[in-house]
mmCIF file with all atom_site columns, all heavy atoms in Angstrom:
data_model
loop_
_atom_site.group_PDB
_atom_site.id
_atom_site.type_symbol
_atom_site.label_atom_id
_atom_site.label_alt_id
_atom_site.label_comp_id
_atom_site.label_asym_id
_atom_site.label_entity_id
_atom_site.label_seq_id
_atom_site.pdbx_PDB_ins_code
_atom_site.Cartn_x
_atom_site.Cartn_y
_atom_site.Cartn_z
_atom_site.occupancy
_atom_site.B_iso_or_equiv
_atom_site.pdbx_formal_charge
_atom_site.auth_seq_id
_atom_site.auth_comp_id
_atom_site.auth_asym_id
_atom_site.auth_atom_id
_atom_site.pdbx_PDB_model_num
ATOM 1   N N   . HIS Q 1 230 ? -10.019 -24.546 7.453  1.00 94.00 ? 232 HIS Q N   1
ATOM 2   C CA  . HIS Q 1 230 ? -9.002  -25.311 6.717  1.00 94.00 ? 232 HIS Q CA  1
ATOM 3   C C   . HIS Q 1 230 ? -7.616  -24.984 7.259  1.00 94.00 ? 232 HIS Q C   1
ATOM 4   O O   . HIS Q 1 230 ? -6.740  -25.842 7.251  1.00 94.00 ? 232 HIS Q O   1
ATOM 5   C CB  . HIS Q 1 230 ? -9.126  -25.062 5.203  1.00 94.00 ? 232 HIS Q CB  1
ATOM 6   C CG  . HIS Q 1 230 ? -8.233  -23.999 4.665  1.00 94.00 ? 232 HIS Q CG  1
ATOM 7   N ND1 . HIS Q 1 230 ? -8.489  -22.656 4.786  1.00 94.00 ? 232 HIS Q ND1 1
ATOM 8   C CD2 . HIS Q 1 230 ? -7.060  -24.084 3.970  1.00 94.00 ? 232 HIS Q CD2 1
ATOM 9   C CE1 . HIS Q 1 230 ? -7.523  -21.962 4.194  1.00 94.00 ? 232 HIS Q CE1 1
ATOM 10  N NE2 . HIS Q 1 230 ? -6.644  -22.800 3.704  1.00 94.00 ? 232 HIS Q NE2 1
ATOM 11  N N   . LEU Q 1 231 ? -7.424  -23.762 7.777  1.00 94.00 ? 233 LEU Q N   1
ATOM 12  C CA  . LEU Q 1 231 ? -6.132  -23.405 8.372  1.00 94.00 ? 233 LEU Q CA  1
ATOM 13  C C   . LEU Q 1 231 ? -5.916  -24.221 9.671  1.00 94.00 ? 233 LEU Q C   1
ATOM 14  O O   . LEU Q 1 231 ? -4.801  -24.692 9.939  1.00 94.00 ? 233 LEU Q O   1
ATOM 15  C CB  . LEU Q 1 231 ? -6.064  -21.919 8.665  1.00 94.00 ? 233 LEU Q CB  1
ATOM 16  C CG  . LEU Q 1 231 ? -5.971  -20.993 7.441  1.00 94.00 ? 233 LEU Q CG  1
ATOM 17  C CD1 . LEU Q 1 231 ? -6.061  -19.531 7.886  1.00 94.00 ? 233 LEU Q CD1 1
ATOM 18  C CD2 . LEU Q 1 231 ? -4.668  -21.240 6.680  1.00 94.00 ? 233 LEU Q CD2 1
ATOM 19  N N   . ILE Q 1 232 ? -6.975  -24.368 10.449 1.00 94.00 ? 234 ILE Q N   1
ATOM 20  C CA  . ILE Q 1 232 ? -6.889  -25.170 11.674 1.00 94.00 ? 234 ILE Q CA  1
ATOM 21  C C   . ILE Q 1 232 ? -6.566  -26.616 11.319 1.00 94.00 ? 234 ILE Q C   1
ATOM 22  O O   . ILE Q 1 232 ? -5.711  -27.273 11.953 1.00 94.00 ? 234 ILE Q O   1
ATOM 23  C CB  . ILE Q 1 232 ? -8.195  -25.076 12.479 1.00 94.00 ? 234 ILE Q CB  1
ATOM 24  C CG1 . ILE Q 1 232 ? -8.383  -23.658 13.032 1.00 94.00 ? 234 ILE Q CG1 1
ATOM 25  C CG2 . ILE Q 1 232 ? -8.203  -26.099 13.619 1.00 94.00 ? 234 ILE Q CG2 1
ATOM 26  C CD1 . ILE Q 1 232 ? -9.750  -23.408 13.641 1.00 94.00 ? 234 ILE Q CD1 1
ATOM 27  N N   . MET Q 1 233 ? -7.243  -27.137 10.311 1.00 93.00 ? 235 MET Q N   1
ATOM 28  C CA  . MET Q 1 233 ? -7.013  -28.532 9.874  1.00 93.00 ? 235 MET Q CA  1
ATOM 29  C C   . MET Q 1 233 ? -5.577  -28.721 9.413  1.00 93.00 ? 235 MET Q C   1
ATOM 30  O O   . MET Q 1 233 ? -4.908  -29.699 9.764  1.00 93.00 ? 235 MET Q O   1
ATOM 31  C CB  . MET Q 1 233 ? -7.970  -28.877 8.719  1.00 93.00 ? 235 MET Q CB  1
ATOM 32  C CG  . MET Q 1 233 ? -7.784  -30.285 8.164  1.00 93.00 ? 235 MET Q CG  1
ATOM 33  S SD  . MET Q 1 233 ? -8.634  -30.519 6.589  1.00 93.00 ? 235 MET Q SD  1
ATOM 34  C CE  . MET Q 1 233 ? -7.604  -29.520 5.503  1.00 93.00 ? 235 MET Q CE  1
ATOM 35  N N   . LEU Q 1 234 ? -5.060  -27.761 8.650  1.00 91.00 ? 236 LEU Q N   1
ATOM 36  C CA  . LEU Q 1 234 ? -3.690  -27.872 8.164  1.00 91.00 ? 236 LEU Q CA  1
ATOM 37  C C   . LEU Q 1 234 ? -2.679  -27.766 9.306  1.00 91.00 ? 236 LEU Q C   1
ATOM 38  O O   . LEU Q 1 234 ? -1.639  -28.431 9.276  1.00 91.00 ? 236 LEU Q O   1
ATOM 39  C CB  . LEU Q 1 234 ? -3.417  -26.774 7.124  1.00 91.00 ? 236 LEU Q CB  1
ATOM 40  C CG  . LEU Q 1 234 ? -4.154  -26.937 5.773  1.00 91.00 ? 236 LEU Q CG  1
ATOM 41  C CD1 . LEU Q 1 234 ? -3.912  -25.740 4.874  1.00 91.00 ? 236 LEU Q CD1 1
ATOM 42  C CD2 . LEU Q 1 234 ? -3.726  -28.218 5.077  1.00 91.00 ? 236 LEU Q CD2 1
ATOM 43  N N   . TYR Q 1 235 ? -3.004  -26.959 10.309 1.00 90.00 ? 237 TYR Q N   1
ATOM 44  C CA  . TYR Q 1 235 ? -2.112  -26.852 11.453 1.00 90.00 ? 237 TYR Q CA  1
ATOM 45  C C   . TYR Q 1 235 ? -2.028  -28.186 12.211 1.00 90.00 ? 237 TYR Q C   1
ATOM 46  O O   . TYR Q 1 235 ? -0.954  -28.600 12.636 1.00 90.00 ? 237 TYR Q O   1
ATOM 47  C CB  . TYR Q 1 235 ? -2.546  -25.733 12.395 1.00 90.00 ? 237 TYR Q CB  1
ATOM 48  C CG  . TYR Q 1 235 ? -1.664  -25.606 13.605 1.00 90.00 ? 237 TYR Q CG  1
ATOM 49  C CD1 . TYR Q 1 235 ? -0.325  -25.213 13.480 1.00 90.00 ? 237 TYR Q CD1 1
ATOM 50  C CD2 . TYR Q 1 235 ? -2.165  -25.866 14.892 1.00 90.00 ? 237 TYR Q CD2 1
ATOM 51  C CE1 . TYR Q 1 235 ? 0.494   -25.116 14.595 1.00 90.00 ? 237 TYR Q CE1 1
ATOM 52  C CE2 . TYR Q 1 235 ? -1.350  -25.772 15.998 1.00 90.00 ? 237 TYR Q CE2 1
ATOM 53  C CZ  . TYR Q 1 235 ? -0.022  -25.387 15.842 1.00 90.00 ? 237 TYR Q CZ  1
ATOM 54  O OH  . TYR Q 1 235 ? 0.800   -25.274 16.945 1.00 90.00 ? 237 TYR Q OH  1
ATOM 55  N N   . ILE Q 1 236 ? -3.183  -28.830 12.356 1.00 92.00 ? 238 ILE Q N   1
ATOM 56  C CA  . ILE Q 1 236 ? -3.213  -30.142 13.022 1.00 92.00 ? 238 ILE Q CA  1
ATOM 57  C C   . ILE Q 1 236 ? -2.362  -31.163 12.232 1.00 92.00 ? 238 ILE Q C   1
ATOM 58  O O   . ILE Q 1 236 ? -1.579  -31.926 12.812 1.00 92.00 ? 238 ILE Q O   1
ATOM 59  C CB  . ILE Q 1 236 ? -4.659  -30.645 13.168 1.00 92.00 ? 238 ILE Q CB  1
ATOM 60  C CG1 . ILE Q 1 236 ? -5.435  -29.745 14.153 1.00 92.00 ? 238 ILE Q CG1 1
ATOM 61  C CG2 . ILE Q 1 236 ? -4.693  -32.110 13.656 1.00 92.00 ? 238 ILE Q CG2 1
ATOM 62  C CD1 . ILE Q 1 236 ? -6.893  -30.027 14.225 1.00 92.00 ? 238 ILE Q CD1 1
ATOM 63  N N   . ILE Q 1 237 ? -2.498  -31.136 10.911 1.00 89.00 ? 239 ILE Q N   1
ATOM 64  C CA  . ILE Q 1 237 ? -1.705  -32.004 10.050 1.00 89.00 ? 239 ILE Q CA  1
ATOM 65  C C   . ILE Q 1 237 ? -0.208  -31.707 10.210 1.00 89.00 ? 239 ILE Q C   1
ATOM 66  O O   . ILE Q 1 237 ? 0.635   -32.598 10.265 1.00 89.00 ? 239 ILE Q O   1
ATOM 67  C CB  . ILE Q 1 237 ? -2.128  -31.852 8.564  1.00 89.00 ? 239 ILE Q CB  1
ATOM 68  C CG1 . ILE Q 1 237 ? -3.559  -32.391 8.384  1.00 89.00 ? 239 ILE Q CG1 1
ATOM 69  C CG2 . ILE Q 1 237 ? -1.170  -32.592 7.631  1.00 89.00 ? 239 ILE Q CG2 1
ATOM 70  C CD1 . ILE Q 1 237 ? -4.140  -32.110 7.013  1.00 89.00 ? 239 ILE Q CD1 1
ATOM 71  N N   . LYS Q 1 238 ? 0.091   -30.410 10.315 1.00 86.00 ? 240 LYS Q N   1
ATOM 72  C CA  . LYS Q 1 238 ? 1.493   -29.976 10.488 1.00 86.00 ? 240 LYS Q CA  1
ATOM 73  C C   . LYS Q 1 238 ? 2.059   -30.535 11.784 1.00 86.00 ? 240 LYS Q C   1
ATOM 74  O O   . LYS Q 1 238 ? 3.217   -30.978 11.810 1.00 86.00 ? 240 LYS Q O   1
ATOM 75  C CB  . LYS Q 1 238 ? 1.552   -28.444 10.485 1.00 86.00 ? 240 LYS Q CB  1
ATOM 76  C CG  . LYS Q 1 238 ? 2.937   -27.864 10.490 1.00 86.00 ? 240 LYS Q CG  1
ATOM 77  C CD  . LYS Q 1 238 ? 2.855   -26.337 10.385 1.00 86.00 ? 240 LYS Q CD  1
ATOM 78  C CE  . LYS Q 1 238 ? 4.254   -25.721 10.358 1.00 86.00 ? 240 LYS Q CE  1
ATOM 79  N NZ  . LYS Q 1 238 ? 4.175   -24.238 10.212 1.00 86.00 ? 240 LYS Q NZ  1
ATOM 80  N N   . ILE Q 1 239 ? 1.271   -30.514 12.845 1.00 88.00 ? 241 ILE Q N   1
ATOM 81  C CA  . ILE Q 1 239 ? 1.725   -31.048 14.145 1.00 88.00 ? 241 ILE Q CA  1
ATOM 82  C C   . ILE Q 1 239 ? 1.978   -32.554 14.029 1.00 88.00 ? 241 ILE Q C   1
ATOM 83  O O   . ILE Q 1 239 ? 2.977   -33.057 14.513 1.00 88.00 ? 241 ILE Q O   1
ATOM 84  C CB  . ILE Q 1 239 ? 0.665   -30.767 15.237 1.00 88.00 ? 241 ILE Q CB  1
ATOM 85  C CG1 . ILE Q 1 239 ? 0.576   -29.269 15.536 1.00 88.00 ? 241 ILE Q CG1 1
ATOM 86  C CG2 . ILE Q 1 239 ? 1.002   -31.555 16.509 1.00 88.00 ? 241 ILE Q CG2 1
ATOM 87  C CD1 . ILE Q 1 239 ? -0.526  -28.913 16.505 1.00 88.00 ? 241 ILE Q CD1 1
ATOM 88  N N   . ILE Q 1 240 ? 1.060   -33.247 13.359 1.00 88.00 ? 242 ILE Q N   1
ATOM 89  C CA  . ILE Q 1 240 ? 1.182   -34.699 13.223 1.00 88.00 ? 242 ILE Q CA  1
ATOM 90  C C   . ILE Q 1 240 ? 2.453   -35.063 12.441 1.00 88.00 ? 242 ILE Q C   1
ATOM 91  O O   . ILE Q 1 240 ? 3.197   -35.978 12.809 1.00 88.00 ? 242 ILE Q O   1
ATOM 92  C CB  . ILE Q 1 240 ? -0.062  -35.299 12.525 1.00 88.00 ? 242 ILE Q CB  1
ATOM 93  C CG1 . ILE Q 1 240 ? -1.292  -35.119 13.430 1.00 88.00 ? 242 ILE Q CG1 1
ATOM 94  C CG2 . ILE Q 1 240 ? 0.152   -36.755 12.174 1.00 88.00 ? 242 ILE Q CG2 1
ATOM 95  C CD1 . ILE Q 1 240 ? -2.590  -35.475 12.739 1.00 88.00 ? 242 ILE Q CD1 1
ATOM 96  N N   . ILE Q 1 241 ? 2.713   -34.307 11.370 1.00 83.00 ? 243 ILE Q N   1
ATOM 97  C CA  . ILE Q 1 241 ? 3.865   -34.612 10.516 1.00 83.00 ? 243 ILE Q CA  1
ATOM 98  C C   . ILE Q 1 241 ? 5.185   -34.237 11.180 1.00 83.00 ? 243 ILE Q C   1
ATOM 99  O O   . ILE Q 1 241 ? 6.149   -35.017 11.134 1.00 83.00 ? 243 ILE Q O   1
ATOM 100 C CB  . ILE Q 1 241 ? 3.735   -33.879 9.177  1.00 83.00 ? 243 ILE Q CB  1
ATOM 101 C CG1 . ILE Q 1 241 ? 2.548   -34.428 8.385  1.00 83.00 ? 243 ILE Q CG1 1
ATOM 102 C CG2 . ILE Q 1 241 ? 5.016   -33.999 8.337  1.00 83.00 ? 243 ILE Q CG2 1
ATOM 103 C CD1 . ILE Q 1 241 ? 2.250   -33.670 7.094  1.00 83.00 ? 243 ILE Q CD1 1
ATOM 104 N N   . TYR Q 1 242 ? 5.228   -33.088 11.818 1.00 76.00 ? 244 TYR Q N   1
ATOM 105 C CA  . TYR Q 1 242 ? 6.515   -32.578 12.301 1.00 76.00 ? 244 TYR Q CA  1
ATOM 106 C C   . TYR Q 1 242 ? 6.673   -32.721 13.807 1.00 76.00 ? 244 TYR Q C   1
ATOM 107 O O   . TYR Q 1 242 ? 7.676   -32.292 14.344 1.00 76.00 ? 244 TYR Q O   1
ATOM 108 C CB  . TYR Q 1 242 ? 6.684   -31.114 11.901 1.00 76.00 ? 244 TYR Q CB  1
ATOM 109 C CG  . TYR Q 1 242 ? 6.577   -30.916 10.397 1.00 76.00 ? 244 TYR Q CG  1
ATOM 110 C CD1 . TYR Q 1 242 ? 5.558   -30.171 9.849  1.00 76.00 ? 244 TYR Q CD1 1
ATOM 111 C CD2 . TYR Q 1 242 ? 7.509   -31.494 9.554  1.00 76.00 ? 244 TYR Q CD2 1
ATOM 112 C CE1 . TYR Q 1 242 ? 5.450   -29.999 8.474  1.00 76.00 ? 244 TYR Q CE1 1
ATOM 113 C CE2 . TYR Q 1 242 ? 7.421   -31.350 8.182  1.00 76.00 ? 244 TYR Q CE2 1
ATOM 114 C CZ  . TYR Q 1 242 ? 6.386   -30.586 7.655  1.00 76.00 ? 244 TYR Q CZ  1
ATOM 115 O OH  . TYR Q 1 242 ? 6.293   -30.423 6.320  1.00 76.00 ? 244 TYR Q OH  1
#
Side-chain angles (χ1 to χ4, degrees):
H232 95 282
L233 290 174
I234 292 170
M235 178 193 72
L236 290 175
Y237 179 64
I238 294 171
I239 293 172
K240 187 176 181 179
I241 292 174
I242 293 171
I243 293 175
Y244 303 116

